[in-house]
Amino acid sequence: MGEGVAVSGDVVARSDTRIDMWSKMGSNVEVGKNAYLGEFVSIEGKLTVEGDLDVGKEVKIKGGFVAKGWIVVRNPVPVIMFLFLYIKEMMRLGRGEEIEKALEELFDESEEEYESENREPAEKILIIPTGAKITPEAMEVGGDAVIGNNCYLIGNLKAQSVETGKALVLKGSIYSEGKINIGENSTIYGNLSSKGQVNIGRNTKVFGGIKAESVLLHENARVEGTIKAPSGLSFLRDAAEMPVLAEVNALGKVIPREVKEPVPQDGILKAPDIIEIDSLIKTSAKAKNGFIPGREGMSARTVVLGRTRRTGGVRRLRRRHEAGEHQSRS
């Protein structure tokens, strides 16, 4: 836990626990191995440590404590005074090189320690950042919240952005100023609210509503509540299938679009641009140089004879019609 963390309930750890300075534990703390408490840490309940206990100054434990290993109480003031007196005496003796060597050995971290501190966290480590607040009702973080795989959480979550792993079970809602990324095979028993984008992974179920600027929903995911996204809702398929992207506008109308291009590596599909192609066939018969079906290879004489036959046929038909009318009158 970082500095200034406040937890209202119990804290139970199977392995080591490190609580930084100015943190407040509202109930009991049980540690399976070693415990490290920073300065000005207060515990309202009882502290139980199966291993060693290392505490700083001004630590308050109201319910008492039990430690089965070594108990070390750190007080940095005597160490600083000792260094001051040591440096003063070495300077009086004129041993400047010895002072530099001692300070390098004291404050310089070895390469192994540096690598161990910058190593990626293990799969089963819970990291609570500085200034976080954890209560049975809500978990509030001032920065980004990252949740690993196969986690089970109870309570609402508030953070600047939220990214979860696979198979998360959250019995509560998520409120974020930025993006919310929910991993696959997760179950959320609550609402998702974000001022940015909300991404729902494969086979994820949300038993609540979603309110965000835009929503990217996998086709195998399910949302039981209402989705409100002014910038639109997009459905995403797996890369192995024929990628189809359907968009829903602000009025709720679904606009399907087929994408013929392969799916990019980031998994987000882009709708293709609409291209208009001019026709090469001229439909007007008056075009001088255009192509007219059925008129190729015809000479001028053939065209004139055809026109004369059509005109003569019309005239003969008219004469027969007029002769028939005269006979009927007589």
Side-chain angles (χ1 to χ4, degrees):
M1 301 183 186
E3 299 178 3
V5 173
V7 180
S8 63
D10 295 338
V11 176
V12 180
R14 297 180 181 178
S15 185
D16 296 342
T17 299
R18 179 183 178 90
I19 303 175
D20 216 331
M21 59 190 306
W22 300 105
S23 297
K24 296 180 180 180
M25 306 293 107
S27 188
N28 300 326
V29 177
E30 299 181 7
V31 182
K33 291 185 178 180
N34 303 325
Y36 307 89
L37 306 181
E39 300 175 1
F40 304 100
V41 171
S42 63
I43 300 176
E44 298 294 329
K46 184 179 179 180
L47 173 64
T48 304
V49 182
E50 297 294 331
D52 300 337
L53 174 62
D54 188 350
V55 298
K57 66 176 183 178
E58 300 296 333
V59 174
K60 298 180 180 180
I61 306 174
K62 292 186 178 181
F65 69 93
V66 175
K68 297 183 180 180
W70 292 93
I71 300 176
V72 179
V73 179
R74 288 177 283 108
N75 191 352
V77 177
V79 177
I80 294 176
M81 293 300 299
F82 172 78
L83 290 176
F84 176 74
L85 295 176
Y86 174 77
I87 293 173
K88 183 179 179 181
E89 184 65 19
M90 290 295 103
M91 291 179 64
R92 189 182 67 83
L93 298 176
R95 299 179 180 179
E97 296 180 357
E98 206 169 306
I99 296 175
E100 293 180 0
K101 183 179 179 181
L103 293 177
E104 288 179 359
E105 292 179 356
L106 182 63
F107 296 104
D108 236 0
E109 297 180 349
S110 63
E111 186 177 355
E112 294 180 357
E113 293 177 352
Y114 179 79
E115 290 179 356
S116 63
E117 290 181 359
N118 289 274
R119 190 179 303 164
E120 290 292 332
E123 186 69 20
K124 297 183 179 180
I125 289 184
L126 173 63
I127 300 176
I128 302 176
T130 300
K133 297 179 181 179
I134 300 177
T135 64
E137 292 78 19
M139 297 166 283
E140 185 175 353
V141 180
D144 302 333
V146 180
I147 303 174
N149 301 329
N150 304 312
C151 291
Y152 182 88
L153 301 177
I154 300 177
N156 300 325
L157 177 60
K158 298 180 181 180
Q160 292 295 323
S161 67
V162 179
E163 183 173 358
T164 73
K166 302 177 181 178
L168 166 68
V169 177
L170 174 63
K171 293 187 176 181
S173 301
I174 298 179
Y175 304 93
S176 174
E177 296 290 331
K179 291 185 177 181
I180 298 178
N181 296 327
I182 305 298
E184 60 184 28
N185 300 320
S186 300
T187 305
I188 308 297
Y189 296 94
N191 301 322
L192 302 179
S193 178
S194 172
K195 294 182 179 179
Q197 187 181 44
V198 174
N199 300 332
I200 307 299
R202 182 191 301 106
N203 297 328
T204 294
K205 298 180 181 179
V206 179
F207 295 95
I210 299 178
K211 183 180 180 181
E213 182 65 25
S214 61
V215 177
L216 182 60
L217 183 66
H218 195 276
E219 65 168 359
N220 294 330
R222 296 293 180 267
V223 178
E224 298 294 335
T226 304
I227 299 177
K228 296 182 180 179
S231 297
L233 167 65
S234 301
F235 296 93
L236 184 62
R237 277 189 175 180
D238 293 329
E241 302 178 5
M242 177 63 68
V244 175
L245 184 66
E247 294 185 355
V248 179
N249 58 13
L251 299 178
K253 183 178 180 181
V254 180
I255 307 174
R257 297 183 179 180
E258 294 185 358
V259 182
K260 297 183 180 180
E261 298 179 358
V263 180
Q265 295 181 357
D266 55 3
I268 299 178
L269 302 176
K270 297 181 180 179
D273 297 331
I274 299 176
I275 303 176
E276 296 181 359
I277 303 177
D278 295 334
S279 177
L280 299 178
I281 300 178
K282 304 297 182 179
T283 58
S284 176
K286 296 181 180 181
K288 296 181 179 180
N289 299 324
F291 169 76
I292 303 175
R295 294 292 297 274
E296 67 278 7
M298 295 179 63
S299 62
R301 183 174 181 275
T302 304
V303 174
V304 173
L305 290 176
R307 189 181 303 169
T308 303
R309 292 194 185 101
R310 289 194 298 273
T311 305
V314 173
R315 289 177 181 176
R316 286 192 296 269
L317 182 61
R318 187 180 298 174
R319 291 173 182 175
R320 292 176 183 175
H321 182 66
E322 292 175 355
E325 289 181 355
H326 288 299
Q327 292 177 1
S328 61
R329 289 179 183 177
S330 61

